[in-house]
């Protein structure tokens, strides 16, 4: 695990996992600062959209060779669900790496891994001197875990989003215990029933 | 749609075949932000490169093995240029 701790891509992941962007009432400032630093390091444009106050939508952009073509959106959410800390072997915002190389943290699967993987992959692609045809927008959105109502749901309806001219998007999937990778190309419709018990 | 009508999917699938990744295509059991993206007419795929990993989202002791995480970066190093060069 020492080798992993010294790996810069793992270190970046652990640093992001240590930001407790846990529902409810999240202060996203630390995430925004972290992502701004990543953008500067990698050489990506950085923009924050605030459709709803205190609910930043962070977009890092790498302009393609043919910027008029529809762009690619690589989306991830910054928030994570709550924890019952007493039930954890290691503190849930420690990013502890055990001797088997397991990285423990709330958000390690859902889905801070994916956000950092996009960035680390782009870092390497840029270092290899490649330039891509289409523009990439790497978005980090708030509040997915509570329905995305102040995040992606409103953002997709804005002129700012339309101006990004997205043609195709990637977002989270799910872990799989077998050697296959799960791909999702649709979602179930969610119908929630709210039962109000008013008493007598 | 996961067929030839979607050139981005063709590029995505091509990389998976090249890397010999076995895929299991499903409908998302819950809901995530890609439903809003699809609602405005943009094709979206849900993919987190985590195979050989127990499903621990929202659970205690959520973890990801470092080697799986690093392999995921290598997968995106191929996937991202493929879909961006369509």
């Amino acid at each position: 695990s020492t080798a992993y701790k010294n790996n810069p891509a793992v270190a970046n992941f652990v640093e992001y996992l240590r930001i407790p962007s846990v529902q409810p009432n999240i202060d996203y400032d630390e995430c925004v600062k972290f992502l701004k630093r990543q953008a500067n390091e990698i050489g990506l444009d950085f923009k924050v959209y605030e459709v709803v106050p205190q609910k930043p939508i962070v977009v890092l952009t790498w302009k393609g060779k043919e910027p008029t073509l529809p762009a690619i959106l690589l989306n991830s959410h910054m928030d994570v669900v709550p924890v019952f800390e007493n039930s954890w072997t290691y503190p849930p915002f420690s990013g502890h790496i055990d001797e088997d190389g397991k990285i423990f943290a709330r958000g390690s699967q859902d889905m801070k891994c994916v956000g950092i993987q996009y960035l680390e992959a782009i870092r390497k692609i840029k270092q290899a001197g490649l330039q891509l045809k289409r523009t990439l927008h790497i978005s980090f959105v708030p509040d997915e875990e509570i329905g995305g109502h102040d995040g992606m749901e409103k953002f997709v309806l804005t002129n700012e989003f339309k101006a990004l001219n997205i043609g195709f998007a990637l977002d989270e999937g799910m872990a799989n215990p077998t050697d296959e990778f799960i791909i999702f190309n649709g979602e179930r419709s969610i119908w929630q029933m709210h039962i109000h018990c008013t008493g007598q | 749609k996961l067929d030839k009508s979607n050139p981005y999917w063709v590029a995505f699938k091509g990389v998976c075949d090249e890397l010999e990744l076995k895929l299991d295509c499903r409908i998302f059991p819950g809901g995530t932000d890609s439903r809003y993206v699809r609602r405005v007419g943009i094709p979206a795929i849900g993919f987190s490169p985590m195979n050989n990993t127990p499903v621990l989202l929202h659970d205690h002791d959520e973890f990801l093995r470092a080697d799986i995480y690093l392999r995921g970066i290598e997968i995106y190093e191929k996937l991202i240029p493929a879909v961006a060069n369509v």
Side-chain angles (χ1 to χ4, degrees), chain A residues 5-22:
Chain A
K5 278 174 193 146
N6 294 331
N7 179 308
V10 173
N12 254 349
F13 182 32
V14 168
E15 185 180 349
Y16 189 35
L17 290 169
R18 284 183 176 159
I19 301 171
S21 50
V22 56

Side-chain angles (χ1 to χ4, degrees), chain A residues 9 89 101 103 105-106 108-110 117 124 133-134 144 147 169 171-173 176 178-179 181 183-184 186-187, chain B residues 22 24 26 28 31-32 34 36 43 45-48 50 52-54 58-59 61-64 66 69 84-86:
Chain A
T89 310
I103 306 168
R106 170 62 79 234
S108 55
Q109 291 192 12
D110 179 15
Q117 282 167 325
K124 286 182 160 177
K133 193 160 120 185
R134 290 172 192 265
E144 184 272 347
D171 203 327
E172 68 183 325
N176 192 3
T178 78
D179 67 343
F181 293 87
I183 298 277
F184 294 112
E187 290 180 37
Chain B
K22 284 187 267 180
D24 176 0
R26 303 189 193 177
F28 205 83
T32 187
S34 44
Y36 304 126
I45 286 178
F47 172 66
S48 301
M50 298 185 288
N52 299 316
T53 301
H58 301 196
D59 206 344
D61 282 345
E62 179 181 349
F63 74 83
L64 181 60
Y69 164 75
N85 287 330
V86 163

Side-chain angles (χ1 to χ4, degrees), chain A residues 53-64:
Chain A
Q54 310 302 315
K55 307 286 187 188
I57 289 155
V58 180
V59 180
L60 281 55
T61 298
W62 184 17
K63 202 182 251 189

Side-chain angles (χ1 to χ4, degrees), chain A residues 7-16 34-44 60-62 74 114-132 136 138 140, chain B residues 69-70 72-74 76-78 80-81:
Chain A
N7 179 308
V10 173
N12 254 349
F13 182 32
V14 168
E15 185 180 349
Y16 189 35
F34 170 79
L35 293 167
K36 186 169 191 183
R37 208 188 76 219
Q38 296 295 321
N40 288 338
E41 277 179 24
I42 301 169
L44 302 170
L60 281 55
T61 298
W62 184 17
L74 304 173
V114 174
I116 301 296
Q117 282 167 325
Y118 294 149
L119 294 182
E120 293 299 327
I122 290 163
R123 189 193 304 271
K124 286 182 160 177
I125 295 164
K126 282 188 72 127
Q127 280 169 355
L130 297 178
Q131 215 201 334
L132 307 178
L136 295 179
I138 309 103
F140 293 82
Chain B
Y69 164 75
L70 293 170
I73 295 172
E74 293 172 8
Y76 281 121
E77 271 182 77
K78 300 273 185 187
I80 292 171

Side-chain angles (χ1 to χ4, degrees), chain B:
Chain B
K1 269 194 201 168
L2 301 184
D3 61 26
K4 282 182 187 165
S5 69
N6 179 350
Y8 301 103
W9 167 251
V10 173
F12 187 103
K13 182 72 167 64
V15 169
C16 294
D17 291 346
E18 181 196 325
L19 297 176
E20 298 182 354
L21 307 183
K22 284 187 267 180
L23 302 181
D24 176 0
C25 301
R26 303 189 193 177
I27 298 295
F28 205 83
T32 187
D33 285 328
S34 44
R35 70 185 178 279
Y36 304 126
V37 175
R38 293 190 187 109
R39 195 182 282 173
V40 294
I42 297 166
I45 286 178
F47 172 66
S48 301
M50 298 185 288
N51 65 345
N52 299 316
T53 301
V55 180
L56 290 170
L57 72 163
H58 301 196
D59 206 344
H60 317 309
D61 282 345
E62 179 181 349
F63 74 83
L64 181 60
R65 267 175 31 210
D67 58 332
I68 302 273
Y69 164 75
L70 293 170
R71 172 80 174 128
I73 295 172
E74 293 172 8
I75 293 170
Y76 281 121
E77 271 182 77
K78 300 273 185 187
L79 268 182
I80 292 171
V83 295
N85 287 330
V86 163

